[in-house]
Amino acid sequence: MAKSDEWKRQPSSRSEHSQDSVARKLASSPTLTTHRRISSEGVPLSSRSQASDPVGLSRPSSALSESQQWLPIMGALDPVGPSIPTTAGNWPEDGDLGSRSFTTSPNMSSTSTSRYHQTPDSTQKSPGPWSQDARPRPTPMQFEDVPMNYYSPAGSSQSMFSPRGRSQHNRTDSRTNLLNTPSTTAWRGPRTPPPYSGLMAPTRKWWQWRPVWIMYLSFVFGVACAIGHHIFYKTLDGKPADAQLAMLRYGTVLSFAAKAGLMAAVVFAFRQRIWTTVRTKFLSVAALDSLFAATEDISALLNAEIFRRAKIAMLLAVFVWLTPIVIVLTGNTLTVEPALRVDNTTCPGIRTLNFSKEEVEEWRNATKINGLFGLSMSLWNNTSTDTSSPDWFDYYTGASNPLTRVTTQSAYSGQAVGKDGANIDICGSGWNCTYTINFTAPAYKCSELASGVGSDVKPLGDQKVPDGFGTKLLVPEGNYSYYAYTSGGDYSPQQMKETGEGGVPIMKPPFPKTLGAFRTEPALWVGYSVRSNLDEAPPLNNSMPGWNEAFIPKVIGCEHYEADYTVLFNLTGGQQITNVTQLKFLRRVVDTNWIQGKDANDGTNDNTTAQPESNYVYPQDVHRYRRVAAFHSLGLRLRDFVNGTMDSHQLNIPIGNTKADQTMLMDREHEYFAYANLIDLIPSAYEDMVLSLFSNQQFVSVVWAAKPDVISGTVVGDESTKYPCVRSRLENVYNYHERDLWIVYSLAILLAAAGVISGTFAILENEGVLRSTRFSSIVAATRGPALEKLGWVGEDRGYVPQDVKSLKVGYGIVHRASGLGVIQENPRDPEGVVWEGGEVRYGFGLEGDVQQLRSQLRSEGSIFRQR
């Protein structure tokens, strides 16, 4: 009751004092003395004693007597006199906190309770909880009463909740409130069920949200973005490089998201690893600065101590700093490169040849397409101006001028003449294309008939060699290096000796039966000499040594055939390249053999005689006659260029009497000798003439490849005229380097997975408690007087002396802030370390002031149970 009376007489308020004044009075008190004592861990602790509280500090009911002294941890007291143990019989020994010994001062008095500021109704029925009278042992479901441990100047009143139903009041101000550590409670032992368990949050189901999932979801998000990045680039691979900037931006966004997800998971694991490190190791203040800032300040990586003491955490920090490389390296896995694009498609402007259109073309009523007349390859005469006369018919007189123009151009250029703009019309703008067409057209079939000096010339099929024609005409025996006879049995353009306008015969009908008939097609008899050695200068004439050995005479013969063509057209870069891939000879154009020296004497001006006469082609067979006339006109144009001679008896002065020297048949660099492969060049030159017909689309024989029965004219092709082709062009396309992307992502994902596993183990080592490096977490871990005795400098610049930075600091169970400060250990549970009175408090402190737990996985800890 005396204690209660003293409590009632305790003044309810005190004068306000600032913390600065408190600190100054503590420092200037003359009654402070320094003592040395040993804690339960054998660490020497310096202490100071004080006779009384010089500043009227608010004290809890368990405050000690004036004979006690201050410990090095501000607020802890030590008795001057000998200590006596409490009565153990009051609390039975059962392994709980009640069985642990506590040291108290014999001078503890109830008068010390006057330091409390309590309301009357809270003190009338029971004395202070820290009276030296025997107190009942708390039940397992009760908290220990823990008084306010920190002084504060009078200025404000704060009510603290006590589990026993009392409210404790403490005078404090708002400025010191953040630094003051609130009164905390702890379980009686690590193995004792928590008191007031009914007030705790219910246990969560496994599927309910837990903060630790952030780490795993971040990792999954990063992996998903990496896979999405791969799929996105895979869809672009080989596609035209359209919207390049946008596509690269999208890829960068996915790369950044993958990097952010993996880095977030590792940062989460890094924070857990930090707390595992400080719970098990002591590090200097400077090292702790660097450790907590390792993922934010790159200069923190320059501290060598953290690499020695916190290897795993620093590996995670280094990974965080290296993750931007993921964005750089994966961004280079999609490039834009020129590539040949090939499309098997159809083209609208492809044409072919159909000579059946020549069979039905009537020059008096010419075909007109797109405003232009259709062109025939032949010129015609007629026997009467009256088309209704029974004796009227048309007969051939020569090749047309349009045909002469294109064949001449082909002969001089040495290639098939292409139409200007064919690339755009057929392939499309910016495209090249190839296509293959088939058609029937005339062709020359050549054979070698003789080779070498003195060789006999063999017949050309059933046709005999022209009289006087042989190798003796050619050098070295003769004077000619080239001798071609192509007019034997040729059709005479002047069929009647006397004709009127339009070729109408002057004579009256009936006309000769063979008037206008194609009796035969002249064969090409070509003799030429080739030089034995092109690398040596030949003798200039037959008087010089080596003349006979310098040349080899050859003779070839060619017949005019109707053949099936298979031609590959290649339109590239505006140029036309043709290649006759297949040539199948069908029949001779006129299947007869010329009889030399025999005049026909049939009433015409054409004395050609051929056998069999039954194979003559007459004008009255209109369709066949017009077709043969077209073939004959084409053959005539070739024969006109091949025919003639080249006199080379004086080698340095060749004398030409032929148009062949203007063609690709003769070698201008070697005295206009014919090329050694002349047997191939003549048919090829004729093929070029045939293919040159496509350069003038007005020819009636030029038709659509997709619709061979329709004359194309100069009309632009449309959907109905599309024909298979292969289009190609060089274009910029996306090229995805899949292997490079997955090398980068695989390494990043593997390292991030290792970081997540490390974070998982760190959470288990932290007893399943998630920790962070937020401001509130740092404040909670550093509150209290455990670090107050250091020489912190309160400057606005935040400067910390170097000697303070070198001190070793760790996280664990810290000494009590008031009272005797004796750490007790339960022999049954080595980690069950408590303060005197049963309170356990964690925080940062100097080495010797902190009891650290050993790093091990606690069986009761779980990453799915948040405390």
Side-chain angles (χ1 to χ4, degrees):
M1 293 299 296
K3 296 183 179 67
S4 299
D5 294 339
E6 290 182 8
W7 280 355
K8 294 178 181 179
R9 292 191 299 270
Q10 183 72 18
S12 61
S13 64
R14 298 182 184 275
S15 62
E16 295 184 357
H17 296 278
S18 66
Q19 287 188 346
D20 292 340
S21 63
V22 173
R24 284 194 300 268
K25 291 181 179 182
L26 287 173
S28 61
S29 175
T31 60
L32 295 176
T33 58
T34 303
H35 297 274
R36 302 284 291 180
R37 64 171 298 179
I38 303 301
S39 68
S40 61
E41 292 182 344
V43 180
L45 302 174
S46 63
S47 63
R48 293 182 179 180
S49 63
Q50 179 174 310
S52 62
D53 189 345
V55 293
L57 300 179
S58 173
R59 293 295 183 186
S61 60
S62 61
L64 302 179
S65 66
E66 295 181 354
S67 62
Q68 292 175 320
Q69 295 178 344
W70 292 98
L71 286 175
I73 303 176
M74 295 180 64
L77 297 176
D78 188 26
V80 174
S83 61
I84 59 174
T86 60
T87 306
N90 293 333
W91 290 359
E93 296 182 1
D94 58 355
D96 206 341
L97 291 178
S99 64
R100 301 178 184 180
S101 61
F102 295 88
T103 306
T104 60
S105 171
N107 297 327
M108 292 178 61
S109 172
S110 63
T111 59
S112 63
T113 60
S114 64
R115 297 183 182 272
Y116 269 90
H117 173 63
Q118 297 184 356
T119 58
D121 58 347
S122 64
T123 59
Q124 289 178 357
K125 296 181 180 181
S126 62
W130 288 90
S131 172
Q132 61 181 343
D133 297 338
R135 58 177 177 173
R137 176 177 181 266
T139 63
M141 295 301 292
Q142 290 180 326
F143 283 109
E144 285 280 48
D145 275 347
V146 180
M148 297 301 296
N149 299 320
Y150 291 90
Y151 62 88
S152 62
S156 63
S157 177
Q158 181 179 2
S159 177
M160 302 293 295
F161 172 77
S162 173
R164 293 188 178 180
R166 294 189 300 271
S167 296
Q168 298 178 352
H169 295 271
N170 182 30
R171 301 289 296 178
T172 182
D173 59 15
S174 61
R175 188 172 60 162
T176 60
N177 187 43
L178 179 64
L179 298 176
N180 290 344
T181 302
S183 177
T184 60
T185 59
W187 317 130
R188 295 179 177 275
R191 299 174 182 173
T192 304
Y196 297 101
S197 59
L199 300 178
M200 297 183 62
T203 304
R204 297 177 181 178
K205 302 296 184 181
W206 67 267
W207 45 265
Q208 290 180 313
W209 170 256
R210 289 167 175 78
V212 71
W213 288 4
I214 296 176
M215 178 173 67
Y216 303 111
L217 291 179
S218 298
F219 177 78
V220 172
F221 174 77
V223 174
C225 288
I227 296 174
H229 196 184
H230 160 72
I231 295 174
F232 177 64
Y233 278 179
K234 195 69 174 179
T235 60
L236 295 178
D237 190 25
K239 299 294 181 61
D242 299 328
Q244 298 180 25
L245 187 58
M247 297 301 104
L248 293 177
R249 283 175 177 172
Y250 297 152
T252 302
V253 168
L254 290 172
S255 176
F256 182 84
K259 169 256 182 187
L262 298 178
M263 186 182 74
V266 174
V267 168
F268 194 100
F270 170 76
R271 291 171 179 170
Q272 308 311 309
R273 180 53 58 181
I274 286 179
W275 290 101
T276 301
T277 301
V278 299
R279 280 166 55 94
T280 58
K281 298 178 182 178
F282 286 96
L283 289 84
S284 66
V285 175
L288 285 178
D289 286 344
S290 298
L291 183 60
F292 276 82
T295 59
E296 303 167 1
D297 183 2
I298 195 171
S299 63
L301 303 181
L302 302 178
N303 191 307
E305 180 182 351
I306 55 177
F307 284 95
R308 295 193 305 269
R309 303 285 290 170
K311 297 181 179 64
I312 297 179
M314 292 314 298
L315 289 177
L316 298 179
V318 170
F319 174 82
V320 171
W321 283 104
L322 293 179
T323 48
I325 299 178
V326 173
I327 301 176
V328 177
L329 297 181
T330 56
N332 293 331
T333 57
L334 184 68
T335 59
V336 177
E337 300 177 358
L340 180 64
R341 177 180 174 181
V342 178
D343 293 340
N344 290 313
T345 181
T346 56
C347 300
I350 299 176
R351 293 168 168 83
T352 187
L353 295 177
N354 185 358
F355 282 91
S356 64
K357 294 302 178 181
E358 285 281 347
E359 299 176 8
V360 298
E361 181 65 18
E362 174 59 53
W363 61 271
R364 294 176 182 85
N365 187 21
T367 302
K368 197 171 185 179
I369 301 175
N370 200 26
L372 300 175
F373 287 107
L375 302 177
S376 176
M377 300 180 192
S378 305
L379 293 177
W380 304 96
N381 282 332
N382 56 76
T383 60
S384 174
T385 56
D386 183 6
T387 57
S388 62
S389 171
D391 297 318
W392 168 87
F393 59 87
D394 292 332
Y395 62 92
Y396 177 82
T397 189
S400 66
N401 291 333
L403 180 63
T404 301
R405 182 179 65 83
V406 297
T407 54
T408 301
Q409 187 177 357
S410 175
Y412 289 157
S413 64
Q415 62 184 6
V417 180
K419 181 184 179 297
D420 294 338
N423 270 72
I424 297 177
D425 294 343
I426 299 176
C427 309
S429 180
W431 288 89
N432 302 319
C433 64
T434 60
Y435 56 91
T436 301
I437 58 175
N438 301 93
F439 56 86
T440 301
Y444 270 99
K445 181 180 181 181
C446 298
S447 304
E448 185 176 273
L449 305 178
S451 178
V453 176
S455 299
D456 294 330
V457 180
K458 297 180 293 185
L460 181 60
D462 294 333
Q463 300 194 59
K464 295 181 180 179
V465 179
D467 294 340
F469 186 84
T471 58
K472 291 183 178 181
L473 297 174
L474 306 173
V475 293
E477 293 181 275
N479 295 329
Y480 300 101
S481 61
Y482 178 84
Y483 192 104
Y485 178 65
T486 63
S487 59
D490 200 358
Y491 179 89
S492 175
Q494 186 69 33
Q495 285 289 302
M496 299 296 290
K497 290 182 180 180
E498 295 180 357
T499 60
E501 186 179 355
V504 177
I506 300 297
M507 68 176 293
K508 300 297 181 178
F511 303 120
K513 178 182 177 182
T514 56
L515 173 61
F518 287 107
R519 308 178 189 197
T520 189
E521 272 296 287
L524 306 182
W525 302 90
V526 182
Y528 63 101
S529 294
V530 296
R531 291 171 52 176
S532 301
N533 193 342
L534 294 177
D535 297 331
E536 295 180 1
L540 297 180
N541 51 56
N542 56 8
S543 64
M544 297 182 66
W547 175 264
N548 293 331
E549 293 78 19
F551 310 100
I552 302 174
K554 293 179 178 290
V555 175
I556 62 173
C558 302
E559 292 183 293
H560 204 193
Y561 272 77
E562 188 174 353
D564 283 340
Y565 280 76
T566 300
V567 184
L568 173 65
F569 281 78
N570 187 342
L571 304 180
T572 302
Q575 299 296 320
Q576 174 183 280
I577 302 173
T578 58
N579 180 26
V580 179
T581 59
Q582 185 176 359
L583 189 64
K584 181 181 180 182
F585 295 101
L586 302 176
R587 66 193 67 88
R588 292 195 292 179
V589 174
V590 179
D591 192 14
T592 60
N593 297 317
W594 173 50
I595 305 299
Q596 301 180 47
K598 183 179 180 179
D599 294 335
N601 295 323
D602 54 4
T604 66
N605 196 43
D606 190 347
N607 286 323
T608 299
T609 303
Q611 292 179 348
E613 188 175 341
S614 60
N615 288 343
Y616 286 6
V617 180
Y618 296 98
Q620 289 76 12
D621 189 356
V622 176
H623 288 180
R624 184 185 178 197
Y625 184 82
R626 289 178 178 174
R627 182 183 183 90
V628 171
F631 293 169
H632 180 82
S633 296
L634 281 167
L636 177 63
R637 297 305 305 147
L638 176 69
R639 294 192 299 271
D640 187 37
F641 281 97
V642 174
N643 194 57
T645 62
M646 180 64 69
D647 189 342
S648 299
H649 73 279
Q650 187 65 33
L651 202 61
N652 57 345
I653 309 176
I655 302 173
N657 187 24
T658 178
K659 294 180 182 179
D661 60 354
Q662 303 175 52
T663 67
M664 301 299 292
L665 302 179
M666 291 188 176
D667 188 356
R668 299 177 180 87
E669 297 180 357
H670 294 90
E671 293 80 26
Y672 286 93
F673 272 65
Y675 284 100
N677 62 335
L678 186 63
I679 192 172
D680 298 321
L681 293 179
I682 291 177
S684 178
Y686 190 52
E687 292 165 3
D688 289 341
M689 289 183 178
V690 172
L691 297 177
S692 296
L693 296 176
F694 291 106
S695 65
N696 191 340
Q697 297 171 352
Q698 287 184 253
F699 283 116
V700 294
S701 297
V702 178
V703 297
W704 295 114
K707 299 187 294 184
D709 293 333
V710 179
I711 301 173
S712 68
T714 58
V715 177
V716 178
D718 55 22
E719 291 293 326
S720 65
T721 63
K722 284 190 173 181
Y723 186 81
C725 70
V726 178
R727 296 202 308 172
S728 63
R729 69 178 177 184
L730 280 175
E731 63 180 9
N732 291 333
V733 299
Y734 291 112
N735 187 15
Y736 171 37
H737 303 276
E738 181 177 351
R739 183 181 66 88
D740 296 343
L741 181 134
W742 278 116
I743 287 177
V744 176
Y745 274 138
S746 296
L747 290 176
I749 293 173
L750 180 63
L751 294 176
V756 170
I757 295 174
S758 174
T760 302
F761 279 100
I763 295 173
L764 294 175
E765 292 178 17
N766 289 331
E767 300 177 351
V769 178
L770 295 182
R771 301 179 184 271
S772 68
T773 57
R774 296 178 181 177
F775 172 76
S776 57
S777 299
I778 301 300
V779 171
T782 57
R783 73 191 193 280
L787 300 177
E788 290 292 334
K789 58 185 177 181
L790 302 181
W792 306 104
V793 178
E795 296 183 2
D796 182 59
R797 295 176 300 172
Y799 172 76
V800 178
Q802 188 61 39
D803 56 343
V804 174
K805 288 186 177 183
S806 62
L807 295 176
K808 297 289 185 180
V809 176
Y811 183 83
I813 301 176
V814 297
H815 291 255
R816 181 168 177 160
S818 64
L820 299 178
V822 177
I823 295 178
Q824 305 295 327
E825 293 187 4
N826 185 355
R828 300 181 182 179
D829 184 4
E831 292 188 359
V833 184
V834 298
W835 283 354
E836 180 186 10
E839 181 179 8
V840 179
R841 180 169 296 163
Y842 291 87
F844 280 98
L846 296 177
E847 188 173 9
D849 293 345
V850 174
Q851 174 75 17
Q852 287 189 331
L853 301 179
R854 294 300 92 194
S855 176
Q856 58 181 334
L857 297 180
R858 297 287 299 264
S859 59
E860 68 274 14
S862 171
I863 61 174
F864 297 107
R865 177 169 59 84
Q866 312 303 326
R867 296 186 177 182

